[in-house]
Amino acid sequence: MNIHAKSVGAVRYVGSRQPRKEDGRLLTGRGQFTDDIRLPGMLHIAYVRSAAARGRIVSIDMDAAREMPGVHAIYTQADLAAVPVAMQTFFFTPIEAPVTLLADGRVACVGDPIAMVIADSRALAEDAASLVEVVIEEETPVVTIADAKTGPLVHPDRDDNISAEMGDEDTREAIQPLLDGCAHVVSTRIRHQRIAQSPMEGRACVASPEGAGEMTVWIGCQSPHLAARYIALVLGLPAEALRVIAKDVGGGFGLKNIPWREEVAVIVAAKLLGRPLKWIEDRFEALTASSHARDQDVSLTVGFDGEGHLQAAWCDYACNNGAWPMGEDANIAVHMFMWPAYKLPAYGFVTRGWYTNTMGLGAYRGPWAMESLVRETLLDKAARKIGIDPVELRRRNLVYLTDQPHTSTLGIPVTDITPGECLEKLVASIDLAAFRKEQVEARKQGRYLGIGIATYIEPTGAAGSMAPMTGETVHLRIEPTGKVVAMLSTHSQGHGTATTMAQVIAQQLGVAYEDVAVYEGDSAIGAFSPGAAGSRQGVIAGGATWRAAEMLADKVKVVAAHLSNASVEAITIQGGMVHVAGAPEMTRSLREIAEIAYGEPGRLPEGAATGLEAQYRYQPPPMTMTSAAHCCMVEVDAETGFVKILRWISSEDCGTVINPGVVEGQIAGGLAQAIGQVLLEDMPYDARGNPLAPTFKDYLMPAISDVPDFEYLHASTPSQTIGGMRGVGEGGCIIGPPTLVNAIADALSPFGEIEELVLPLTPARVLDVIEGRDISGTRAHLEGGASAAVEAVLPVEVAAPAAAGGIDGDWNMILKTPMGPQVMVAHFDTDGSAVSGYLEAPEGRQDFAGGTLSGRQVKFEMKVEKPMKITLKYDLLFDGDSMSGKCKMGMFGSAKVSGERA
Amino acid sequence: MSEHRIELTVNGHRHAALVEARTSLGEFLREELGYTGTHLACEHGVCGACTVMVDGVAMRSCLMLAVQANGGAVTTVEGLAEPDGTLHPVQQALKDNFGLQCGFCTPGVAITMAAVTRENEGAGAGQIEKALTAAMSGHICRCTGYQGIRRAIRQLAGATT
Ligand code: FES
Ligand code: FES
């Protein structure tokens, strides 16, 4: 009889600071990063890159490099083209720019890869790469958004330099009268610098051809499953021929969402050469030739009534996409998520991405973060202008729990967000009045203190509305030894998913945390998931493990009940022991039950499967919202412009907290990146398109001395998912920037407003405000460049009669949606001025009727259910065998349509 | 390229090798000897990820040539823990305080902390905390926001007094 049985209580692992499972290997130098992989016969790659931002490749002289001993091959695009590749976005839609793995006749940015050298060692490959002579006929590059509007075409075969466009200029006319009627109208403009995501481990890839057409790939990624699916799709490989492994990855932050040109080129080259190949990006490449982020120019105008209630807002957003973005992007999410936490009755916007001759853009932690930065800094500006406390201004406009369900102007429903509640909790924890008093006293001594507050919500754990954003699979088993093994689709680039998932399993199954082993980071285990993308793993994989552990516990209970002749309700599992209520002598270890389940099927209940396994794939609600309010206090040195952060308090609601150490680590990491964005980091380009921060001596990463101690308040309102978690991976990087900017603006308020926020706020730019003149030279620089900024001249429409055949029949049509271009066949039948027909895409065919034809113009409507219920309103102009126009897509604004007769 | 024969110990093990003059110590440790715990993150002396101890002193192995370590005693992150697996106090402190996430910067952080705590053995808590914090300003961590590293520093300072 086990007399200790009763003393073993259920352990609440969820919510406790369990030490991380990952740390043992990472602290002792036994991690497995991509550069740690070495294979027999493996060769090394170095890229030859363009030193010119734009031009035609006249010649590539590889003779000297080829003669170097140890060089095995030098490939250009002409060689790689033997394997057809069609690069795609994270959403598995085509990249619109004519991107090839290596430059194809032209270069479009400094760092464009032109050739790859394959040699015995990395050093030899680099030596040889430096001997490759590339002659480029240089052309004047298009560097800024202003350049893009007036300059030559970045991609000569496209109509203009607009890479993506949504929203509608027309809404400006609808919003303007509302603004005209407002008691207060406040405007702001933000120029967000270009960011280099800078994970400490740069990009890395090892590709090893195996067997007949099979390939094993080790790669720095954010999900081996997504990487495998992506590589298989762009190379047209059967997915079963490919295995992707990524045990340890030194940070991703969005940069490693998808494999990009260099990594795919490694795989293609390994196929061509039939040898294992390794490419390890160096820091110079990482800073100048890895995809960048942000680089935006945004203007927002907001109207308030006399009491500070929001009335209407208009936003004009532009984003420099560079030459080869990982997906053309107008960042519709900025507009979707700007206002759902606030009661704003009317909103309009136009949003565009622009091609330039700079490195292409990728994702970075909270890619839509501009919505919080522009809104929250404007609200503080408005509070100063209206003469109202910034907290009070937010209270009058925030959507509290009592206001929900609430639907935003753009149709985003919220049912359980708590930004107001987080704000109240935050305000209750700080003595605002005391700070204001101290601020007044300090000013008398020439010391400038400031306090900044910001609130926000964040969509996390998205599933079901975009191709890659799906559920998570867990396969869980109790081994015959009684130990628990979980096979997961999760991936950690520091997220600690092996830790948090083991905590959930240990608690829900009733075993010791130490007895749970989690395997992840390999496309051969688990099932498709995008891994670390969109703050989703804690929410979705957490829910999947939660339920799978319950299912497995149920199975153990059924077996134990049968063995003990007891009812299932009488069985409990605690501390790895299986108890029978009222019969302590019947207590068995999980190991005993497992041995029977695997080895003595005759003792199992009739019909029960042998073994102790459970598998579950969790599809959560489409979106789970996280809320937060942050406060930061700073002191600005009026002599030097130096900003010192004194205190930072985070009040967030990420639902059930699995491990506070992990959650706080995510918030802190995001906040440090926020501090970097506001004060330090910058990847500027000169007029010739040269990136100016190619080392960590130029690109200033936040150091320990730049980051204060963070304080945390957790609200923990359970979400509607299994387990009640809400995502927390990106939040700090979204709410951090406005919190800090607001604190600095508050400190500077005796001197004036930061009229136009140009980031980073370097000491010199802070002095611009303090001294009221252009000390930093920022104005002179911007105005020098801006003088050339003229709105793009739209191509003049040539009126031509519709072709003799009219519009009847099939047309190949392209709709530029926010998730990338959608290709379809449009069929029209006209009957006088009535038009009917159908649109057919790979996903299916949909009919329409009730359209109208007037002259060359056709208008029709179509209701769609996915990704959400909206009515698409097409307005098309036909011109001979081509057509163009737009499609109004409800909250998504307008998308461009173009097409040709099939 | 000139080649040189060097001898050194790494974590107490003797190694002899022929190296090119230009090979950095970090590259040599990783590529030739297989001590892949040492990470190269910038290869230009700013980030600190590559830090190893040479004769007890923390050095950036991306800036030091392998030939310069000839005759020296090198300690890498693989050599910090006791042979029985007991973590070095700095490793334990980093673990206790969530001082790492992706772990790429961690080997350098741990080595510098070990070197600095040793240099300051017997000093007061304030001095140890100051020395460790100052040394950490030479390390870049993109993941943690330095919160756990700072808590680990406080734990080490408290534990050593
Ligand atoms: S790799 Fe040596 S300091 Fe960065
Ligand atoms: S833990 Fe990832 S860089 Fe420090």
Side-chain angles (χ1 to χ4, degrees):
Chain A
M1 183 176 126
N2 185 344
I3 52 161
H4 299 297
K6 273 214 168 97
S7 64
V8 183
V11 182
R12 301 296 304 174
Y13 285 115
V14 170
S16 79
R17 289 176 197 267
Q18 288 300 312
R20 296 200 330 158
K21 294 223 179 244
E22 295 83 355
D23 289 358
R25 67 175 187 274
L26 294 174
L27 277 166
T28 54
R30 296 197 160 75
Q32 190 199 73
F33 296 87
T34 303
D35 195 17
D36 302 340
I37 302 297
R38 46 217 59 219
L39 303 169
M42 185 172 78
L43 302 173
H44 301 260
I45 290 174
Y47 284 99
V48 177
R49 296 180 182 277
S50 177
R54 176 189 177 88
R56 190 176 66 84
I57 299 174
V58 178
S59 62
I60 307 173
D61 182 351
M62 299 176 275
D63 291 349
R66 279 210 169 108
E67 275 164 29
M68 264 195 58
V71 171
H72 290 251
I74 304 177
Y75 290 148
T76 64
Q77 181 57 27
D79 304 299
L80 297 193
V83 179
V85 174
M87 293 297 276
Q88 300 192 352
T89 69
F90 173 73
F91 301 104
F92 303 123
T93 55
I95 300 283
E96 288 185 56
V99 66
T100 46
L101 299 181
L102 301 175
D104 189 15
R106 285 184 64 82
V107 293
C109 60
V110 169
D112 230 344
I114 295 172
M116 65 196 301
V117 178
I118 301 170
D120 282 336
S121 73
R122 185 181 178 210
L124 282 176
E126 284 174 7
D127 288 347
S130 70
L131 294 178
V132 174
E133 274 187 50
V134 183
V135 177
I136 292 170
E137 190 177 84
E138 275 195 65
E139 299 161 14
T140 305
V142 168
V143 180
T144 63
I145 292 170
D147 293 347
K149 290 177 179 172
T150 55
L153 294 175
V154 172
H155 300 301
D157 54 342
R158 293 185 58 93
D159 298 346
D160 52 36
N161 283 329
I162 297 176
S163 60
E165 185 175 21
M166 306 290 304
D168 201 337
E169 287 281 3
D170 296 352
T171 56
R172 191 195 293 261
E173 281 149 41
I175 298 290
Q176 195 54 49
L178 301 175
L179 291 173
D180 292 343
C182 286
H184 306 281
V185 176
V186 182
S187 292
T188 198
R189 181 173 183 179
I190 299 177
R191 299 188 203 234
H192 199 305
Q193 81 277 37
R194 188 172 271 242
I195 291 295
Q197 292 90 326
S198 305
M200 291 312 291
E201 183 195 25
R203 292 180 296 158
C205 183
V206 172
S208 176
E210 278 154 20
E214 288 171 27
M215 185 79 79
T216 303
V217 175
W218 289 260
I219 188 170
C221 65
Q222 296 179 200
S223 160
H225 285 280
L226 188 125
R229 180 168 165 187
Y230 184 91
I231 295 163
L233 278 173
V234 303
L235 291 179
L237 287 176
E240 69 272 16
L242 191 71
R243 179 176 177 194
V244 174
I245 304 171
K247 181 157 184 179
D248 289 309
V249 175
F253 311 116
L255 171 68
K256 299 175 186 171
N257 259 345
I258 51 173
W260 197 230
R261 302 168 76 188
E262 289 86 345
E263 295 99 310
V264 177
V266 172
I267 296 162
V268 169
K271 229 169 127 73
L272 292 177
L273 201 61
R275 293 276 296 259
L277 297 179
K278 178 191 270 189
W279 173 63
I280 302 298
E281 181 178 63
D282 70 19
R283 187 54 58 183
F284 179 86
E285 290 179 293
L287 284 166
T288 61
S290 265
S291 302
H292 290 151
R294 309 295 197 250
D295 202 346
Q296 303 144 321
D297 184 349
V298 184
S299 296
L300 176 67
T301 301
V302 180
F304 300 82
D305 71 10
E307 280 78 51
H309 296 112
L310 290 162
Q311 300 298 308
W314 164 263
C315 181
D316 187 335
Y317 172 98
C319 175
N320 186 335
N321 278 195
W324 312 112
M326 284 173 154
E328 284 76 5
D329 193 12
N331 218 335
I332 184 74
V334 165
H335 308 284
M336 287 167 67
F337 297 106
M338 197 181 293
W339 297 107
Y342 286 87
K343 294 171 219 156
L344 171 77
Y347 181 62
F349 66 91
V350 62
T351 192
R352 293 188 185 96
W354 296 89
Y355 289 120
T356 64
N357 294 113
T358 60
M359 190 46 64
L361 252 67
Y364 184 51
R365 212 171 195 174
W368 58 89
M370 178 52 81
E371 49 79 26
S372 281
L373 180 59
V374 72
R375 178 193 64 240
E376 294 298 314
T377 53
L378 184 138
L379 287 177
D380 265 33
K381 212 179 228 187
R384 283 187 289 272
K385 186 165 171 184
I386 300 170
I388 179 175
D389 182 78
V391 172
E392 183 53 32
L393 181 67
R394 287 179 175 80
R395 280 187 179 132
R396 288 184 194 176
N397 291 291
L398 276 171
V399 175
Y400 283 77
L401 274 175
T402 47
D403 300 313
Q404 298 171 54
H406 169 86
T407 303
S408 81
T409 330
L410 294 188
I412 305 278
V414 290
T415 55
D416 64 351
I417 61 168
T418 57
E421 289 73 13
C422 287
L423 178 66
E424 300 305 335
K425 199 167 167 152
L426 176 73
V427 171
S429 79
I430 44 180
D431 191 341
L432 272 172
F435 183 87
R436 290 294 179 203
K437 229 172 114 191
E438 192 188 339
Q439 187 180 40
V440 171
E441 288 307 313
R443 276 180 193 163
K444 288 180 194 154
Q445 303 153 23
R447 286 174 51 229
Y448 295 91
L449 304 181
I451 188 166
I453 281 177
T455 48
Y456 95 125
I457 60 157
E458 179 194 356
T460 72
S465 57
M466 294 166 273
M469 303 306 275
T470 64
E472 285 279 340
T473 295
V474 55
H475 177 202
L476 198 58
R477 62 177 188 264
I478 300 170
E479 300 278 11
T481 57
K483 302 290 184 225
V484 180
V485 169
M487 314 281 265
L488 286 166
S489 314
T490 44
H491 191 255
S492 169
Q493 309 99 57
H495 304 79
T497 34
T499 299
T500 48
M501 296 306 121
Q503 285 180 254
V504 170
I505 292 163
Q507 171 173 307
Q508 294 309 101
L509 197 50
V511 300
Y513 170 68
E514 295 71 24
D515 286 344
V516 182
V518 173
Y519 293 92
E520 53 177 359
D522 186 339
S523 70
I525 60 173
F528 179 79
S529 120
S535 302
R536 57 180 293 289
Q537 300 197 104
V539 183
I540 308 178
T545 48
W546 198 288
R547 177 55 45 82
E550 286 173 351
M551 287 163 60
L552 188 52
D554 287 347
K555 172 143 196 199
V556 170
K557 286 177 188 172
V558 167
V559 173
H562 181 76
L563 291 171
S564 328
N565 248 331
S567 74
V568 171
E569 292 69 41
I571 311 291
T572 52
I573 316 170
Q574 286 176 2
M577 301 301 287
V578 183
H579 307 281
V580 183
E585 72 284 359
M586 307 274 262
T587 296
R588 284 186 166 92
S589 68
L590 264 183
R591 177 181 179 149
E592 284 175 70
I593 305 263
E595 280 171 350
I596 293 166
Y598 283 92
E600 299 176 67
R603 294 176 67 189
L604 296 179
E606 194 154 331
T610 60
L612 289 177
E613 297 179 62
Q615 181 166 326
Y616 184 68
R617 183 168 182 85
Y618 180 41
Q619 185 73 18
M623 214 181 268
T624 296
M625 294 289 189
T626 295
S627 309
H630 280 219
C631 171
C632 161
M633 298 168 191
V634 299
E635 176 165 353
V636 177
D637 187 325
E639 291 291 310
T640 61
F642 187 80
V643 174
K644 183 171 167 53
I645 302 172
L646 306 172
R647 247 189 107 180
W648 196 305
I649 307 125
S650 154
S651 164
E652 113 294 330
D653 188 351
C654 72
T656 304
V657 172
I658 301 174
N659 186 327
V662 169
V663 163
E664 289 163 9
Q666 287 296 313
I667 297 170
L671 289 178
Q673 290 176 334
I675 291 168
Q677 288 182 79
V678 173
L679 299 176
L680 299 163
E681 298 175 39
D682 195 5
M683 178 59 69
Y685 275 75
D686 71 9
R688 298 298 306 165
N690 294 302
L692 298 179
T695 75
F696 277 156
K697 291 181 182 111
D698 317 287
Y699 192 84
L700 304 181
M701 297 275 277
I704 194 167
S705 44
D706 300 307
V707 183
D709 285 335
F710 299 122
E711 302 159 53
Y712 309 95
L713 302 164
H714 302 293
S716 310
T717 311
S719 72
Q720 291 150 36
T721 65
I722 297 175
M725 284 73 78
R726 300 169 188 269
V728 75
E730 291 163 287
C733 207
I734 301 173
I735 194 173
T739 307
L740 179 52
V741 171
N742 282 348
I744 297 169
D746 182 51
L748 293 178
S749 60
F751 302 103
E753 283 293 338
I754 305 173
E755 287 304 342
E756 182 182 318
L757 177 64
V758 181
L759 292 174
L761 269 173
T762 56
R765 285 180 180 153
V766 170
L767 286 177
D768 290 349
V769 181
I770 291 171
E771 305 226 344
R773 60 199 174 93
D774 189 18
I775 292 178
S776 66
T778 304
R779 286 286 11 126
H781 178 75
L782 289 175
E783 272 148 29
S787 62
V790 186
E791 276 294 326
V793 184
L794 294 170
V796 183
E797 271 186 24
V798 186
I807 66 163
D808 284 18
D810 285 352
W811 295 73
N812 292 325
M813 197 167 96
I814 298 172
L815 174 66
K816 287 177 67 176
T817 78
M819 268 84 89
Q822 199 182 352
V823 181
M824 55 182 110
V825 172
H827 179 90
F828 300 100
D829 293 314
T830 55
D831 181 5
S833 66
V835 183
S836 61
Y838 59 84
L839 299 184
E840 189 165 15
E843 299 81 52
R845 166 180 157 160
Q846 195 171 352
D847 297 332
F848 70 86
T852 57
L853 169 71
S854 73
R856 298 185 295 121
Q857 190 180 32
V858 168
K859 289 186 178 184
F860 66 94
E861 292 187 9
M862 183 177 268
K863 284 193 170 39
V864 294
E865 304 279 322
K866 282 177 100 175
M868 49 182 56
K869 280 186 189 166
I870 43 173
T871 301
L872 304 178
K873 296 180 182 172
Y874 283 89
D875 183 347
L876 307 174
L877 206 56
F878 287 76
D879 183 6
D881 287 336
S882 67
M883 59 126 111
S884 61
K886 61 183 177 179
C887 171
K888 283 202 178 185
M889 313 197 300
M891 57 177 286
F892 292 110
S894 287
K896 266 199 208 169
V897 180
S898 62
E900 277 168 11
R901 197 184 291 277
Chain B
M1 223 68 64
S2 65
E3 285 210 328
H4 302 264
R5 187 184 155 79
I6 60 168
E7 285 183 25
L8 74 172
T9 68
V10 181
N11 304 330
H13 301 282
R14 291 178 54 190
H15 293 277
L18 270 181
V19 292
E20 281 185 22
R22 67 170 176 177
T23 304
S24 73
L25 177 59
E27 194 186 340
F28 173 70
L29 289 169
R30 288 183 54 83
E31 301 301 319
E32 302 299 323
L33 303 186
Y35 293 99
T36 53
T38 299
H39 294 161
L40 298 169
C42 74
E43 297 174 272
H44 53 249
V46 181
C47 76
C50 64
T51 307
V52 298
M53 267 189 263
V54 180
D55 299 327
V57 180
M59 302 291 284
R60 310 215 146 191
S61 70
C62 71
L63 292 185
M64 185 171 176
L65 297 172
V67 289
Q68 292 176 291
N70 189 19
V74 174
T75 307
T76 69
V77 71
E78 289 97 333
L80 280 184
E82 298 293 328
D84 71 354
T86 307
L87 293 179
H88 185 285
V90 303
Q91 290 170 314
Q92 191 61 47
L94 286 165
K95 182 171 181 173
D96 292 345
N97 292 287
F98 294 85
L100 60 150
Q101 288 180 23
C102 78
F104 205 75
C105 70
T106 310
V109 168
I111 288 282
T112 296
M113 282 183 156
V116 173
T117 43
R118 204 165 82 166
E119 281 159 25
N120 288 275
E121 225 166 75
Q127 160 64 20
I128 294 172
E129 184 173 339
K130 226 171 112 187
L132 279 169
T133 308
M136 277 308 114
S137 70
H139 287 264
I140 301 176
C141 173
R142 191 52 149 173
C143 298
T144 63
Y146 306 99
Q147 304 296 294
I149 293 175
R150 208 181 267 133
R151 285 192 301 267
I153 287 174
R154 288 178 193 139
Q155 178 171 321
L156 287 166
T160 338
T161 39

